[in-house]
Amino acid sequence: MPKVIKPDEYSNNGVFEMARFGNQLIMHNNMTPEQFEKWQNYHADNMETVKSEIDIAVASICENVSKCDPEQLLMYCRDLAMTVHHGKYSESDYSADDNFAILALVYVQSVIVSTDVKGFESADAEKNTEQLSKTRRLIIELFPKIMSFYSYWGHNISKENKIDEDLLVFIAESQMLYLVSGNRYQAFQLDPLRNLLPPHNEILEELFGENASSILNGLNKLEYALTQGRADAWNHIIGSYRNFLHDTEAIAAENEGNHAALSAYYEAHFATPNEPLMTSFDGAFGLSLNDVKTITGWDCRFVQALTFKVNEHKDFYGQLSDYSGWPVVELPISQKPFVELKGKSYCFDYHSLFDNVYRVIQKEVRRQRPDYEQMWQQKQSQASEDMVEKLFCKLLPGAKTHKTNFYPKSASLKELYENDLLIEFDDVLLIIEIKAGSFPATPPITDYEAHIKAYRNLIEKADHQCERTLRYMSNNTVAVFYDNDKNVKLEIDTSKIRETFTFSITVDNINSFAARAEKISFLNIKSTTISLSYDDLLTYAEYFDSPMYFLHFMRQRKLSTTVKQLSLNDELEHLGMYLHYNCYPDVAATIPDDFGRIDFNGFREQLDNYFCRLHNSELAIPKPMQDVPEFLIKMIKVMDDQNSPCRVYLSSFLLDFSGDARKELVENIAQTYNKKVRLEKSRPMPLLCFGGVRYCVFINIQNKPDINSNERRDYAYATLLRNIASPLTWIDLYVDQSFNITEVRGYECKAEDILSADLDRIQALSLKYAHSRVETAKRTSPNGKLGRNEYCPCGSGKKYKKCCIS
């Protein structure tokens, strides 16, 4: 009878049932079809009523914002948003209220640039504070109403348009993620721009008086000002205050009863303003760290190109939409991240700036110079391919890369298909398609078909292109690729390719759906293509410093596309699950298909903590890693550094081991080494494993006699023949007298590799070694016998009673 496992948490309200087992959350909808229809009709019929209530709330917010001094309101929302961020490094640390507090700042700025703000300059400070607090409270209260409204809207659109459940879930999730900000970690914030902006230097200087370098320099200063700058200002104030207390206490103690010394100290330090301290006060409490022009020194033309004035944006409330003024549509702050107040441009929201600045610059260039649009697209496409190639070269040092490759559509060269990037690394081939197109600005709630079209173009189309290239290679022993002029560019011997990976890389960040692209119902995914955003690839390039570990993870990532139960909401959840479970697709595959929706959440928390601290060395923590024995780490490192045959296969074979199997392997290697060292004259003592995986390890010690490679090969294949249904891995481990690894070689032994001329000889050796193992097992057995139901020590995988008992 199967063991019953109790959940860590469980709830059931009669309709929805949820159980949490560690990081796994299992949900069931227990509604009957009749209950679901009633539920759907209720929400569909009441949508307009709920919408009207939100319309009234939106109008009230607009009216209240117009009564506030915009500087004070933005500073008030900024300070409260900054408080929310304090001490948090992972998105799991943020509550719904925290997220609403952050969104309030974004929404306030969007309302200000779309509203005729009169300001609220009152001598009554208390009344002014009440108005600011009331306005922010109305905004905070709006967001839960909108979250609830999505349910009404979803059931209504499902009823009217007969949308299937999977598509409805996609639209609802897309809308909830539409305003989520923060595409990349702070340590990587400027990396994409370093690649994407320089090709446009000429037009940037012509229109804005700035080149890529000066723009990046200014963004770097803004990044500091909006994050660490305020913290440093606070630290300076606190430090100055502590110094003041220390000094005055010391003076008072030394001059007891004499106030003249204190007066002299005050006179010396406060007779004139303390400029550094005043600067820190302005940074902590004022607007100096939000003043774009002062911080960056940018040309006014460039600053203005990214700035909206108060009431300049006319579409937010006047657009032809059912959701005018709602924070569910494209917000003005995403179109231009700065706001002009009293003649100065200010930046208040860090993520709105860095998530959108590239597309904002692109649109402004297109507005001023429409004829440059095609050139922008061409340069963007080239830069995108270059930056993706560069990251893969970092992940796979020494790889051969080939960009813009053509191959025939049919037998002739009349029509050609194009591939963006091919990468050869040992016996592994990567087929990569890169999509630099932008994502729709319109929200799913008003134009979900545009989002579906975009995903099909960015993910489905790329997958089909990868599958087409893969098919071409599988149909040709030698796959020939051509340049744009139809000259032969490279030839790939496909018989030497052990494993192929296909990738779809998007420049725009579509993380949440790329992470489970193959599970989205409206996408027709044909292959096991791994869909990644450039930001995720950038994160992997920082995390992995070993090509062997990276390719092992990619193998698991590729397998995850075939497991129905693995539908993750974030790419880093894949890496988090890999660190936790290693072969995580195998773990997920054990869960029955009818378990309902399974959410694997929380696996990226350690990774968030690590990556969020990278920008500041004082905050840095150790990189989260799998628990791998030190000796195995050294083996993988040697394979990283040495171009030994089959190193990718061997490293993946070893890394597939469970934690216990890894420890057992390392312990057995150490024991075998110690035995060989103690022997005056070494003799062949291979380390064998005939369990779920089969391997044969030969330990070769420097300056110690050992069997030659031909004899080792014979032994490995003779061992293989005891069970030809399962391959055997032959490992040669070379160490010096101090047990330092000098070389690692590995081979996958299969029965078809044995030459017919050698078969009889190796079969005879197989019987000889089998008999020897059985006799050795008997000698070492306590009673000199082997159990009938034990696995036979000959390596056949059969029970002793059905194998060598005679």
Side-chain angles (χ1 to χ4, degrees):
M1 184 156 180
K3 182 181 178 181
V4 176
I5 302 175
K6 291 184 178 181
D8 299 308
E9 290 182 84
Y10 176 83
S11 66
N12 187 339
N13 64 3
V15 178
F16 296 106
E17 182 181 21
M18 292 193 297
R20 182 181 66 81
F21 299 85
N23 286 351
Q24 300 174 24
L25 183 65
I26 300 173
M27 296 180 284
H28 274 146
N29 183 341
N30 294 322
M31 287 186 188
T32 63
E34 294 76 20
Q35 286 175 320
F36 179 75
E37 184 178 2
K38 185 177 180 181
W39 170 275
Q40 184 181 51
N41 289 336
Y42 169 81
H43 284 82
D45 295 343
N46 285 277
M47 188 197 81
E48 288 301 325
T49 301
V50 176
K51 183 180 180 302
S52 296
E53 293 174 358
I54 296 177
D55 283 333
I56 293 170
V58 166
S60 176
I61 289 169
C62 180
E63 179 184 358
N64 277 273
V65 168
S66 70
K67 295 178 181 178
C68 294
D69 180 287
E71 281 188 3
Q72 293 185 27
L73 179 57
L74 283 166
M75 284 171 29
Y76 181 66
C77 292
R78 174 203 66 186
D79 292 345
L80 291 172
M82 289 289 287
T83 302
V84 165
H85 285 300
H86 182 69
K88 295 184 175 71
Y89 296 99
S90 174
E91 64 177 22
S92 60
D93 295 332
Y94 290 82
S95 66
D97 288 343
D98 290 338
N99 291 323
F100 297 154
I102 295 166
L103 285 170
L105 172 62
V106 175
Y107 187 47
V108 159
Q109 182 170 322
S110 296
V111 173
I112 286 172
V113 300
S114 310
T115 304
D116 185 13
V117 178
K118 305 298 183 184
F120 189 83
E121 297 179 2
S122 170
D124 189 339
E126 184 178 347
K127 184 177 181 182
N128 189 32
T129 302
E130 287 176 0
Q131 181 63 36
L132 296 175
S133 179
K134 175 186 176 183
T135 303
R136 183 179 177 278
R137 186 182 70 252
L138 290 172
I139 294 171
I140 295 294
E141 292 172 351
L142 174 66
F143 289 108
K145 294 176 182 176
I146 290 174
M147 295 295 111
S148 175
F149 171 77
Y150 288 146
S151 179
Y152 291 88
W153 173 83
H155 287 294
N156 181 68
I157 195 172
S158 177
K159 185 177 180 181
E160 287 185 354
N161 299 353
K162 304 299 181 184
I163 293 176
D164 66 59
E165 184 178 351
D166 286 343
L167 181 55
L168 180 61
V169 169
F170 162 77
I171 297 169
E173 286 188 47
S174 296
Q175 180 58 44
M176 285 188 281
L177 291 168
Y178 179 68
L179 293 179
V180 172
S181 59
N183 287 340
R184 65 191 67 88
Y185 295 106
Q186 187 174 343
F188 314 138
Q189 198 65 267
L190 296 177
D191 186 273
L193 296 174
R194 291 190 183 103
N195 296 281
L196 292 170
L197 285 181
H200 308 291
N201 269 334
E202 188 175 339
I203 193 73
L204 292 173
E205 289 177 348
E206 176 189 331
L207 297 180
F208 309 122
E210 301 290 346
N211 58 27
S213 178
S214 61
I215 291 172
L216 287 165
N217 186 48
L219 287 171
N220 189 52
K221 292 176 180 177
L222 270 177
E223 181 184 50
Y224 169 78
L226 296 173
T227 54
Q228 190 63 32
R230 294 197 75 208
D232 287 347
W234 269 104
N235 288 336
H236 183 229
I237 294 170
I238 294 170
S240 298
Y241 178 67
R242 286 175 177 166
N243 290 337
F244 168 76
L245 289 180
H246 177 270
D247 290 347
T248 54
E249 287 173 1
I251 292 170
E254 292 174 4
N255 301 273
E256 188 174 351
N258 183 1
H259 297 288
L262 284 175
S263 297
Y265 176 82
Y266 295 147
E267 180 68 23
H269 288 81
F270 302 110
T272 58
N274 184 323
E275 292 297 335
L277 191 58
M278 295 299 292
T279 300
S280 293
F281 267 102
D282 196 18
F285 303 106
L287 286 167
S288 65
L289 292 176
N290 301 96
D291 186 336
V292 176
K293 175 68 175 172
T294 301
I295 293 167
T296 64
W298 283 332
D299 189 292
C300 291
R301 289 173 292 170
F302 186 64
V303 175
Q304 288 303 312
L306 277 66
T307 301
F308 273 132
K309 298 179 181 179
V310 172
N311 202 26
E312 181 181 354
H313 193 284
K314 302 301 182 183
D315 294 335
F316 187 49
Y317 287 103
Q319 59 185 311
L320 299 176
S321 167
D322 290 335
Y323 306 100
S324 176
W326 285 38
V328 301
V329 296
E330 185 183 20
L331 296 178
I333 194 173
S334 67
Q335 298 169 27
K336 293 190 177 184
F338 306 152
V339 56
E340 183 178 312
L341 304 172
K342 300 177 182 177
K344 288 187 176 183
S345 289
Y346 295 102
C347 181
F348 288 94
D349 186 65
Y350 171 84
H351 290 301
S352 294
L353 169 61
F354 286 99
D355 285 356
N356 303 301
V357 66
Y358 175 71
R359 295 300 182 189
V360 172
I361 294 171
Q362 179 185 4
K363 289 175 183 177
E364 187 61 23
V365 169
R366 184 172 58 193
R367 185 187 68 80
Q368 295 190 34
R369 285 284 301 277
D371 58 317
Y372 188 76
E373 182 174 1
Q374 186 176 359
M375 180 62 70
W376 184 287
Q377 298 294 347
Q378 291 174 358
K379 291 184 176 183
Q380 175 181 268
S381 179
Q382 181 62 51
S384 300
E385 292 181 14
D386 290 345
M387 59 201 248
V388 169
E389 177 191 32
K390 186 165 62 175
L391 287 185
F392 273 110
C393 285
K394 181 180 178 183
L395 285 160
L396 302 170
K400 298 177 183 176
T401 63
H402 314 280
K403 288 186 297 184
T404 315
N405 313 295
F406 297 90
Y407 58 95
K409 185 176 182 180
S410 54
S412 73
L413 294 179
K414 268 189 174 181
E415 293 184 80
L416 299 175
Y417 287 129
E418 183 181 2
N419 156 262
D420 290 333
L421 180 62
L422 293 174
I423 298 179
E424 298 176 273
F425 184 81
D426 291 8
D427 53 3
V428 175
L429 180 71
L430 280 62
I431 300 172
I432 302 163
E433 294 295 332
I434 302 159
K435 296 299 180 184
S438 59
F439 211 66
T442 53
I445 199 169
T446 62
D447 192 9
Y448 66 84
E449 291 180 348
H451 285 252
I452 291 173
K453 183 179 179 181
Y455 281 112
R456 283 178 173 157
N457 182 56
L458 295 177
I459 296 178
E460 182 181 290
K461 184 178 178 180
D463 169 77
H464 291 188
Q465 290 172 314
C466 286
E467 194 270 341
R468 189 172 62 205
T469 305
L470 189 60
R471 189 169 62 248
Y472 169 70
M473 299 195 68
S474 64
N475 291 337
N476 292 274
T477 305
V478 177
V480 182
F481 290 88
Y482 302 83
D483 62 20
N484 199 34
D485 297 322
K486 300 183 180 179
N487 299 312
V488 174
K489 183 178 179 182
L490 72 144
E491 297 180 351
I492 297 177
D493 184 348
T494 57
S495 66
K496 294 181 179 178
I497 301 299
R498 177 182 291 273
E499 188 165 17
T500 305
F501 294 96
T502 56
F503 290 88
S504 166
I505 310 294
T506 61
V507 172
D508 269 11
N509 194 312
I510 54 173
N511 179 320
S512 296
F513 294 105
R516 53 191 166 97
E518 70 284 345
K519 312 298 190 310
I520 298 176
S521 61
F522 61 79
L523 293 180
N524 178 23
I525 303 297
K526 293 186 176 182
S527 64
T528 54
T529 297
I530 300 169
S531 297
L532 298 173
S533 70
Y534 175 80
D535 294 327
D536 291 321
L537 185 64
L538 179 61
T539 304
Y540 287 154
E542 168 60 33
Y543 179 83
F544 288 100
D545 49 20
S546 160
M548 300 302 114
Y549 282 102
F550 172 66
L551 289 174
H552 181 252
F553 168 59
M554 283 297 110
R555 177 179 284 183
Q556 305 308 315
R557 181 66 180 84
K558 177 181 175 181
L559 287 172
S560 75
T561 66
T562 66
V563 179
K564 178 183 176 182
Q565 297 89 325
L566 271 175
S567 182
L568 305 183
N569 294 317
D570 188 275
E571 181 59 36
L572 278 195
E573 294 286 1
H574 283 280
L575 180 55
M577 288 193 72
Y578 171 70
L579 298 182
H580 189 80
Y581 292 116
N582 193 32
C583 298
Y584 68 99
D586 295 342
V587 175
T590 62
I591 301 173
D593 288 351
D594 60 354
F595 248 50
R597 176 169 175 170
I598 306 164
D599 286 340
F600 294 91
N601 292 319
F603 288 96
R604 61 171 287 181
E605 185 173 348
Q606 281 186 307
L607 292 164
D608 280 338
N609 279 318
Y610 169 72
F611 285 116
C612 279
R613 298 167 185 262
L614 277 183
H615 73 281
N616 189 331
S617 59
E618 294 181 5
L619 300 175
I621 59 174
K623 183 191 298 184
M625 300 285 287
Q626 284 190 2
D627 184 14
V628 182
E630 184 64 27
F631 191 81
L632 184 53
I633 292 174
K634 291 177 180 178
M635 288 178 67
I636 301 298
K637 179 67 169 64
V638 169
M639 285 186 269
D640 280 333
D641 297 339
Q642 296 180 353
N643 192 13
S644 58
C646 297
R647 60 175 176 163
V648 176
Y649 161 76
L650 179 58
S651 60
S652 285
F653 173 79
L654 295 173
L655 290 172
D656 274 348
F657 287 10
S658 67
D660 289 340
R662 290 172 176 178
K663 291 176 182 176
E664 182 181 353
L665 169 65
V666 169
E667 289 171 359
N668 288 339
I669 287 175
Q671 290 173 6
T672 304
Y673 167 81
N674 289 330
K675 287 180 182 178
K676 295 188 76 170
V677 167
R678 287 198 303 269
L679 290 173
E680 196 170 315
K681 288 189 177 180
S682 181
R683 60 186 176 85
M685 292 175 60
L687 171 60
L688 300 173
C689 178
F690 301 133
V693 292
R694 303 204 305 156
Y695 58 79
C696 175
V697 182
F698 295 92
I699 301 176
N700 305 279
I701 305 175
Q702 188 179 37
N703 299 326
K704 279 270 189 178
D706 221 322
I707 60 176
N708 62 43
S709 61
N710 289 332
E711 291 174 318
R712 294 198 299 271
R713 178 184 175 86
D714 285 350
Y715 189 95
Y717 278 97
T719 303
L720 168 72
L721 287 183
R722 296 306 296 167
N723 180 7
I724 61 173
S726 176
L728 178 138
T729 298
W730 160 21
I731 303 171
D732 280 338
L733 177 63
Y734 296 84
V735 297
D736 62 19
Q737 296 283 346
S738 301
F739 203 34
N740 298 310
I741 304 169
T742 58
E743 189 177 358
V744 183
R745 290 176 174 267
Y747 313 89
E748 182 182 19
C749 301
K750 294 177 288 188
E752 56 265 32
D753 296 334
I754 303 174
L755 297 176
S756 57
D758 294 332
L759 185 57
D760 289 343
R761 179 175 58 81
I762 293 177
Q763 282 180 332
L765 285 173
S766 180
L767 290 172
K768 174 186 174 182
Y769 294 145
H771 177 74
S772 175
R773 290 180 198 125
V774 171
E775 291 304 311
T776 300
K778 287 179 179 178
R779 284 198 309 271
T780 56
S781 174
N783 58 4
K785 296 181 179 180
L786 298 177
R788 291 172 55 83
N789 290 314
E790 293 179 11
Y791 283 105
C792 188
C794 76
S796 66
K798 300 176 184 177
K799 289 187 177 181
Y800 180 55
K801 65 183 179 183
K802 293 185 177 181
C803 190
C804 295
I805 194 168
S806 59

